[in-house]
Amino acid sequence: MLDLITNLSPRETQLLSGLGNSTAKDIYHQWLVDTLKSAEANAYVEGVDATYPDRTDPTRYSNVCQILRVGYEVTDTERAVTNAGFNDRYAYEAQKALKEWSNDAEYALMRASMSCGSGSAARQMKGVKNFMTSNNYTDASGASLSEAMLNNYFQDVWDDGTEVNAVFVPMKLKKKISSFTAGATKNVDLADKRLVNAVDVYESDAASMVKLFAHRYVTVSGDTNNDIVGLDESKWRVAYLRKPFTRELSKTGDSTKGEVIGELTLECLHKDAGFYGANHGDI
């Protein structure tokens, strides 16, 4: 038997590993968001007293910390016999569980709907898509994503004071964006046998150096058509109440039990720092 294990199951951790980290101090995580007054004509007569316009109070944002757990159990017989591909089945399952935990965390960061929980219901964070109440285009009515639409999304975020630097789309929309020309013509050396049709960074007037990510959880089975999410990543963070760790659980039989557990939430420093376009049609 070949001493090798192949696993093609996908891993998706762009938000979990790509966003900055923060620390939550309670299960109910809160932070403040403020704004500046609008720019206006401002000129004073020499020597006059100052004026005191009304000041706005900061807005309180919040999210709840979600507990994610992935358990694993290996019989003591399995740990004793000689295995192919690994020395210790328990250690192997612990490594798999960590990867599975990361996938589940990524899914929650993108898609979860906030629930405060109860004695019988688990707490759930509010994910990116549900935080996006501003610049939220809830129904493209199946329209195919166009380059003009994408640039309009970028401009709406720019109008609010920041720029998108990362876009997350299902593979169908990633391929669509790769077909955009941005007004340029591609020239290929005939001696080069390769044909490249992929765009990983997009530049526009309202957003420079935008990274493009094909993401598996922006749109999943059961969703209608295809969604697109754009973020200013500097305004979004993963706040940990408990960073993920493995632990062995009490022994109750002839097996060894363990789990990966962690508690975290999504921190949105401003809901205008991104856009969400829903229900774009297929290519």
Side-chain angles (χ1 to χ4, degrees):
M1 178 182 292
L2 185 63
D3 192 19
L4 174 69
I5 298 176
T6 301
N7 189 335
L8 290 182
S9 298
R11 291 192 65 197
E12 194 73 54
T13 61
Q14 183 53 49
L15 294 174
L16 187 66
S17 60
L19 300 181
N21 288 348
S22 179
T23 301
K25 299 297 182 67
D26 201 343
I27 60 175
Y28 191 62
H29 187 51
Q30 302 180 76
W31 59 99
L32 297 175
V33 175
D34 205 354
T35 59
L36 302 176
K37 74 174 185 65
S38 298
E40 58 188 3
N42 190 333
Y44 274 79
V45 174
E46 183 177 338
V48 302
D49 288 343
T51 58
Y52 306 96
D54 292 338
R55 310 305 292 173
T56 58
D57 292 326
T59 301
R60 189 182 300 271
Y61 281 17
S62 63
N63 208 345
V64 297
C65 290
Q66 180 173 333
I67 301 171
L68 292 94
R69 303 170 67 177
V70 177
Y72 46 94
E73 178 182 7
V74 177
T75 69
D76 290 343
T77 298
E78 287 181 290
R79 300 193 72 180
V81 301
T82 300
N83 294 283
F86 47 78
N87 294 322
D88 183 353
R89 179 68 182 271
Y90 182 81
Y92 175 75
E93 292 300 333
Q95 292 175 356
K96 279 178 57 180
L98 277 167
K99 296 175 183 178
E100 292 163 354
W101 187 96
S102 297
N103 280 343
D104 291 346
E106 184 78 7
Y107 188 95
L109 289 167
M110 179 60 77
R111 301 185 61 89
S113 299
M114 191 168 76
S115 173
C116 293
S118 65
S120 58
R123 297 190 307 272
Q124 288 192 128
M125 72 177 77
K126 183 189 294 186
V128 167
K129 293 177 74 172
N130 286 297
F131 248 119
M132 213 78 72
T133 56
S134 182
N135 300 326
N136 184 343
Y137 314 95
T138 56
D139 192 354
S141 300
S144 181
L145 179 68
S146 68
E147 195 162 3
M149 286 180 182
L150 181 62
N151 281 282
N152 286 338
Y153 290 157
F154 291 156
Q155 181 178 342
D156 287 345
V157 178
W158 184 90
D159 288 344
D160 287 329
T162 187
E163 290 187 13
V164 169
N165 65 1
V167 164
F168 304 86
V169 287
M171 183 55 75
K172 286 185 177 180
L173 292 189
K174 176 65 167 62
K175 290 164 59 181
K176 181 71 175 179
I177 295 172
S178 290
S179 72
F180 295 164
T181 66
T185 301
K186 295 179 180 178
N187 294 299
V188 180
D189 189 338
L190 288 177
D192 192 339
K193 302 300 184 180
R194 298 169 300 168
L195 180 61
V196 179
N197 185 26
V199 175
D200 294 322
V201 177
Y202 186 87
E203 187 99 16
S204 80
D205 292 324
S208 59
M209 300 300 290
V210 181
K211 297 168 290 186
L212 304 175
F213 298 106
H215 198 279
R216 297 178 187 276
Y217 309 139
V218 176
T219 298
V220 299
S221 177
D223 288 351
T224 302
N225 288 324
N226 297 279
D227 297 344
I228 178 172
V229 168
L231 301 178
D232 173 356
E233 290 181 302
S234 69
K235 302 299 186 295
W236 301 78
R237 299 192 293 200
V238 180
Y240 288 97
L241 184 61
R242 291 184 290 166
K243 287 196 172 183
F245 62 96
T246 60
R247 63 184 178 189
E248 189 169 320
L249 302 178
S250 299
K251 198 172 183 66
T252 57
D254 190 30
S255 64
T256 306
K257 304 176 180 68
E259 71 172 353
V260 178
I261 185 169
E263 195 164 358
L264 72 160
T265 193
L266 177 67
E267 192 175 290
C268 167
L269 299 182
H270 207 292
K271 62 184 171 102
D272 292 340
F275 70 86
Y276 168 33
N279 198 23
H280 281 283
D282 297 343
I283 295 173

